[in-house]
Amino acid sequence: MGRESEIRHNAPTPPYRQLAALLAARIRAGEWEPDTPIPSEPQLVGDYGVARNTVRKAIALLVEEGLVFVVPHRGTFVKP
Amino acid sequence: MGRESEIRHNAPTPPYRQLAALLAARIRAGEWEPDTPIPSEPQLVGDYGVARNTVRKAIALLVEEGLVFVVPHRGTFVKP
DNA sequence: TTTCATTTGTACGTATGTATT
DNA sequence: TAATACATACGTACAAATGAA
């Protein structure tokens, strides 16, 4: 909660990159254990006040970076 | 033109994958020379009767396959 | 077994921004 | 000044798979 204020819609960095950076920081801070899920897409939509497409783009970046992996219909998990 | 009938919206393979396969076949058939652009996104939208996001997903697959490369604000070109 | 909520996958519509020609 | 083209982001809707009740 309260996280919607962390995204700046008029910043040079687009929201999906901001969100990816914010989630990467939380992952690296150890907020979630390896092999445990990060919040679902609808939850992230509500928490950060962005569209689901934006959430999915951010998660796609995290997958590219090797920070998480997606299990279809199950969730997005922190990589061990 | 007339290509919209080549996409089946209720087939098991999603439209964006169908479109990627269709374009890949046209590229491999030599329909466009290397370093020349394939049709624009709006053109493909009209030709195949799919949404722009779908066209962009198909093109993203072609980029992954190494068949084309995108030059921002210029177009999508066949790889040499 | 059936039902149901949850979650990701896919698709489309629309709008705005920015760069090139 | 347009017209063109890609980048981003908002929204909506439904499908499909999973797992629990």
Short mmCIF file of all heavy atoms in Angstrom, two decimals, chain B residues 9 14-16 51 53-54 73-74, chain C residues 10-13 15 18-21:
data_model
loop_
_atom_site.label_atom_id
_atom_site.label_comp_id
_atom_site.label_asym_id
_atom_site.label_seq_id
_atom_site.Cartn_x
_atom_site.Cartn_y
_atom_site.Cartn_z
N HIS B 9 -8.78 -16.70 -35.46
CA HIS B 9 -8.81 -16.18 -34.09
C HIS B 9 -9.26 -17.20 -33.05
O HIS B 9 -9.16 -16.95 -31.87
CB HIS B 9 -9.70 -14.94 -34.03
CG HIS B 9 -9.07 -13.74 -34.68
ND1 HIS B 9 -8.63 -12.65 -33.97
CD2 HIS B 9 -8.77 -13.47 -35.97
CE1 HIS B 9 -8.10 -11.76 -34.80
NE2 HIS B 9 -8.18 -12.23 -36.01
N PRO B 14 -2.22 -18.97 -30.99
CA PRO B 14 -2.69 -17.58 -30.91
C PRO B 14 -2.33 -16.79 -32.17
O PRO B 14 -1.31 -17.09 -32.80
CB PRO B 14 -1.99 -17.02 -29.69
CG PRO B 14 -0.84 -17.92 -29.47
CD PRO B 14 -1.24 -19.27 -29.95
N PRO B 15 -3.14 -15.79 -32.51
CA PRO B 15 -2.91 -14.98 -33.70
C PRO B 15 -1.50 -14.43 -33.83
O PRO B 15 -0.95 -14.41 -34.93
CB PRO B 15 -3.95 -13.87 -33.55
CG PRO B 15 -5.07 -14.53 -32.84
CD PRO B 15 -4.43 -15.46 -31.86
N TYR B 16 -0.91 -14.00 -32.72
CA TYR B 16 0.41 -13.37 -32.88
C TYR B 16 1.47 -14.38 -33.32
O TYR B 16 2.40 -14.06 -34.04
CB TYR B 16 0.81 -12.62 -31.60
CG TYR B 16 1.41 -13.46 -30.51
CD1 TYR B 16 2.80 -13.52 -30.35
CD2 TYR B 16 0.62 -14.15 -29.63
CE1 TYR B 16 3.36 -14.25 -29.34
CE2 TYR B 16 1.18 -14.90 -28.61
CZ TYR B 16 2.56 -14.94 -28.47
OH TYR B 16 3.12 -15.67 -27.46
N ALA B 51 -4.95 -6.60 -34.02
CA ALA B 51 -4.63 -5.36 -33.32
C ALA B 51 -3.14 -5.06 -33.42
O ALA B 51 -2.31 -5.92 -33.68
CB ALA B 51 -5.04 -5.45 -31.86
N ASN B 53 -1.09 -4.32 -31.06
CA ASN B 53 -0.31 -5.04 -30.06
C ASN B 53 0.03 -6.43 -30.55
O ASN B 53 1.10 -6.96 -30.25
CB ASN B 53 -1.08 -5.14 -28.75
CG ASN B 53 -1.12 -3.80 -28.03
OD1 ASN B 53 -0.58 -2.81 -28.51
ND2 ASN B 53 -1.77 -3.78 -26.88
N THR B 54 -0.88 -7.02 -31.28
CA THR B 54 -0.65 -8.37 -31.81
C THR B 54 0.43 -8.34 -32.86
O THR B 54 1.31 -9.21 -32.89
CB THR B 54 -1.96 -8.92 -32.40
OG1 THR B 54 -2.97 -8.90 -31.39
CG2 THR B 54 -1.78 -10.34 -32.90
N HIS B 73 11.68 4.49 -35.00
CA HIS B 73 11.15 5.59 -35.81
C HIS B 73 11.47 5.44 -37.29
O HIS B 73 11.26 6.38 -38.07
CB HIS B 73 11.67 6.95 -35.31
CG HIS B 73 11.63 7.09 -33.84
ND1 HIS B 73 10.44 6.99 -33.12
CD2 HIS B 73 12.61 7.27 -32.93
CE1 HIS B 73 10.74 7.15 -31.83
NE2 HIS B 73 12.03 7.31 -31.70
N ARG B 74 11.99 4.30 -37.70
CA ARG B 74 12.34 4.11 -39.11
C ARG B 74 11.56 2.94 -39.71
O ARG B 74 11.04 3.06 -40.82
CB ARG B 74 13.85 3.86 -39.26
CG ARG B 74 14.68 5.07 -38.94
CD ARG B 74 14.70 6.04 -40.11
NE ARG B 74 15.24 5.38 -41.30
CZ ARG B 74 14.91 5.73 -42.54
NH1 ARG B 74 14.07 6.70 -42.72
NH2 ARG B 74 15.44 5.10 -43.55
P DT C 10 0.67 -16.20 -24.30
OP1 DT C 10 1.05 -17.27 -25.23
OP2 DT C 10 1.64 -15.16 -23.90
"O5'" DT C 10 -0.62 -15.47 -24.90
"C5'" DT C 10 -1.75 -16.24 -25.23
"C4'" DT C 10 -2.90 -15.35 -25.63
"O4'" DT C 10 -3.37 -14.62 -24.48
"C3'" DT C 10 -2.55 -14.30 -26.70
"O3'" DT C 10 -3.23 -14.65 -27.90
"C2'" DT C 10 -3.03 -12.97 -26.11
"C1'" DT C 10 -3.94 -13.42 -24.96
N1 DT C 10 -4.02 -12.48 -23.82
C2 DT C 10 -5.23 -11.92 -23.49
O2 DT C 10 -6.25 -12.15 -24.11
N3 DT C 10 -5.21 -11.07 -22.41
C4 DT C 10 -4.12 -10.74 -21.63
O4 DT C 10 -4.22 -9.96 -20.69
C5 DT C 10 -2.87 -11.37 -22.02
C7 DT C 10 -1.62 -11.09 -21.25
C6 DT C 10 -2.88 -12.21 -23.08
P DA C 11 -2.94 -13.82 -29.23
OP1 DA C 11 -3.31 -14.70 -30.35
OP2 DA C 11 -1.60 -13.24 -29.16
"O5'" DA C 11 -4.01 -12.64 -29.15
"C5'" DA C 11 -5.39 -12.97 -29.13
"C4'" DA C 11 -6.20 -11.70 -28.98
"O4'" DA C 11 -6.08 -11.23 -27.62
"C3'" DA C 11 -5.74 -10.55 -29.87
"O3'" DA C 11 -6.67 -10.39 -30.93
"C2'" DA C 11 -5.69 -9.33 -28.94
"C1'" DA C 11 -6.32 -9.84 -27.65
N9 DA C 11 -5.74 -9.27 -26.43
C8 DA C 11 -4.44 -9.39 -26.00
N7 DA C 11 -4.21 -8.77 -24.87
C5 DA C 11 -5.43 -8.21 -24.53
C6 DA C 11 -5.86 -7.44 -23.44
N6 DA C 11 -5.06 -7.06 -22.45
N1 DA C 11 -7.16 -7.06 -23.42
C2 DA C 11 -7.96 -7.43 -24.42
N3 DA C 11 -7.68 -8.16 -25.49
C4 DA C 11 -6.38 -8.52 -25.48
P DC C 12 -6.41 -9.30 -32.06
OP1 DC C 12 -7.10 -9.81 -33.25
OP2 DC C 12 -4.99 -8.95 -32.10
"O5'" DC C 12 -7.23 -8.06 -31.50
"C5'" DC C 12 -8.58 -8.23 -31.14
"C4'" DC C 12 -9.05 -7.01 -30.39
"O4'" DC C 12 -8.38 -6.95 -29.12
"C3'" DC C 12 -8.73 -5.71 -31.11
"O3'" DC C 12 -9.94 -5.09 -31.54
"C2'" DC C 12 -8.00 -4.86 -30.07
"C1'" DC C 12 -8.25 -5.60 -28.77
N1 DC C 12 -7.14 -5.46 -27.80
C2 DC C 12 -7.37 -4.82 -26.59
O2 DC C 12 -8.49 -4.39 -26.34
N3 DC C 12 -6.34 -4.67 -25.71
C4 DC C 12 -5.13 -5.14 -26.02
N4 DC C 12 -4.16 -4.98 -25.14
C5 DC C 12 -4.89 -5.80 -27.26
C6 DC C 12 -5.90 -5.93 -28.11
P DG C 13 -9.87 -3.72 -32.39
OP1 DG C 13 -11.06 -3.71 -33.25
OP2 DG C 13 -8.53 -3.61 -32.98
"O5'" DG C 13 -10.00 -2.60 -31.28
"C5'" DG C 13 -11.10 -2.64 -30.39
"C4'" DG C 13 -11.07 -1.40 -29.50
"O4'" DG C 13 -10.07 -1.59 -28.46
"C3'" DG C 13 -10.70 -0.12 -30.24
"O3'" DG C 13 -11.66 0.89 -29.98
"C2'" DG C 13 -9.32 0.24 -29.70
"C1'" DG C 13 -9.32 -0.41 -28.33
N9 DG C 13 -7.98 -0.79 -27.87
C8 DG C 13 -7.13 -1.68 -28.46
N7 DG C 13 -6.00 -1.82 -27.82
C5 DG C 13 -6.11 -0.96 -26.73
C6 DG C 13 -5.21 -0.68 -25.69
O6 DG C 13 -4.07 -1.15 -25.50
N1 DG C 13 -5.72 0.25 -24.79
C2 DG C 13 -6.96 0.84 -24.90
N2 DG C 13 -7.28 1.72 -23.96
N3 DG C 13 -7.81 0.58 -25.88
C4 DG C 13 -7.33 -0.33 -26.75
P DA C 15 -9.46 7.95 -28.56
OP1 DA C 15 -10.57 8.82 -28.15
OP2 DA C 15 -9.13 7.80 -30.00
"O5'" DA C 15 -8.15 8.42 -27.80
"C5'" DA C 15 -8.09 8.32 -26.37
"C4'" DA C 15 -6.66 8.56 -25.91
"O4'" DA C 15 -5.87 7.39 -26.18
"C3'" DA C 15 -5.98 9.73 -26.63
"O3'" DA C 15 -5.78 10.79 -25.70
"C2'" DA C 15 -4.67 9.16 -27.14
"C1'" DA C 15 -4.54 7.82 -26.44
N9 DA C 15 -3.89 6.78 -27.24
C8 DA C 15 -4.35 6.22 -28.39
N7 DA C 15 -3.54 5.30 -28.89
C5 DA C 15 -2.49 5.26 -27.99
C6 DA C 15 -1.31 4.49 -27.95
N6 DA C 15 -0.98 3.58 -28.87
N1 DA C 15 -0.48 4.70 -26.91
C2 DA C 15 -0.81 5.61 -25.99
N3 DA C 15 -1.88 6.39 -25.92
C4 DA C 15 -2.69 6.16 -26.97
P DT C 18 7.55 13.93 -25.13
OP1 DT C 18 8.44 14.00 -23.96
OP2 DT C 18 6.87 15.13 -25.65
"O5'" DT C 18 8.36 13.26 -26.34
"C5'" DT C 18 8.91 11.97 -26.15
"C4'" DT C 18 9.51 11.47 -27.44
"O4'" DT C 18 8.45 11.05 -28.34
"C3'" DT C 18 10.32 12.53 -28.20
"O3'" DT C 18 11.58 11.97 -28.52
"C2'" DT C 18 9.49 12.81 -29.45
"C1'" DT C 18 8.76 11.49 -29.64
N1 DT C 18 7.48 11.58 -30.38
C2 DT C 18 7.24 10.67 -31.39
O2 DT C 18 8.04 9.81 -31.70
N3 DT C 18 6.03 10.81 -32.02
C4 DT C 18 5.06 11.75 -31.75
O4 DT C 18 4.01 11.78 -32.38
C5 DT C 18 5.37 12.67 -30.69
C7 DT C 18 4.37 13.72 -30.32
C6 DT C 18 6.55 12.55 -30.06
P DA C 19 12.74 12.98 -29.03
OP1 DA C 19 13.90 12.77 -28.14
OP2 DA C 19 12.20 14.33 -29.25
"O5'" DA C 19 13.08 12.34 -30.45
"C5'" DA C 19 13.20 10.93 -30.56
"C4'" DA C 19 13.08 10.52 -32.01
"O4'" DA C 19 11.70 10.55 -32.42
"C3'" DA C 19 13.84 11.43 -32.97
"O3'" DA C 19 14.66 10.64 -33.80
"C2'" DA C 19 12.75 12.15 -33.77
"C1'" DA C 19 11.59 11.17 -33.69
N9 DA C 19 10.28 11.81 -33.75
C8 DA C 19 9.79 12.80 -32.96
N7 DA C 19 8.56 13.16 -33.25
C5 DA C 19 8.21 12.35 -34.31
C6 DA C 19 7.04 12.24 -35.08
N6 DA C 19 5.97 12.99 -34.90
N1 DA C 19 7.04 11.32 -36.08
C2 DA C 19 8.13 10.57 -36.27
N3 DA C 19 9.28 10.58 -35.61
C4 DA C 19 9.26 11.51 -34.63
P DT C 20 15.66 11.34 -34.82
OP1 DT C 20 16.92 10.58 -34.77
OP2 DT C 20 15.64 12.80 -34.58
"O5'" DT C 20 14.96 11.06 -36.23
"C5'" DT C 20 14.52 9.74 -36.52
"C4'" DT C 20 13.68 9.73 -37.77
"O4'" DT C 20 12.40 10.36 -37.52
"C3'" DT C 20 14.29 10.46 -38.97
"O3'" DT C 20 14.29 9.58 -40.08
"C2'" DT C 20 13.36 11.66 -39.19
"C1'" DT C 20 12.05 11.14 -38.64
N1 DT C 20 11.10 12.18 -38.15
C2 DT C 20 9.86 12.23 -38.71
O2 DT C 20 9.49 11.47 -39.58
N3 DT C 20 9.04 13.21 -38.18
C4 DT C 20 9.34 14.12 -37.19
O4 DT C 20 8.54 14.95 -36.81
C5 DT C 20 10.68 14.01 -36.66
C7 DT C 20 11.12 14.94 -35.58
C6 DT C 20 11.48 13.05 -37.16
P DT C 21 15.12 9.97 -41.40
OP1 DT C 21 15.67 8.72 -41.94
OP2 DT C 21 16.02 11.11 -41.10
"O5'" DT C 21 13.97 10.48 -42.37
"C5'" DT C 21 12.87 9.63 -42.64
"C4'" DT C 21 11.85 10.38 -43.46
"O4'" DT C 21 11.09 11.26 -42.60
"C3'" DT C 21 12.43 11.25 -44.58
"O3'" DT C 21 11.75 11.01 -45.78
"C2'" DT C 21 12.19 12.67 -44.08
"C1'" DT C 21 10.93 12.50 -43.26
N1 DT C 21 10.72 13.54 -42.22
C2 DT C 21 9.47 14.06 -42.05
O2 DT C 21 8.52 13.72 -42.70
N3 DT C 21 9.39 15.02 -41.06
C4 DT C 21 10.41 15.49 -40.25
O4 DT C 21 10.21 16.34 -39.41
C5 DT C 21 11.70 14.90 -40.50
C7 DT C 21 12.87 15.33 -39.69
C6 DT C 21 11.79 13.96 -41.46
#
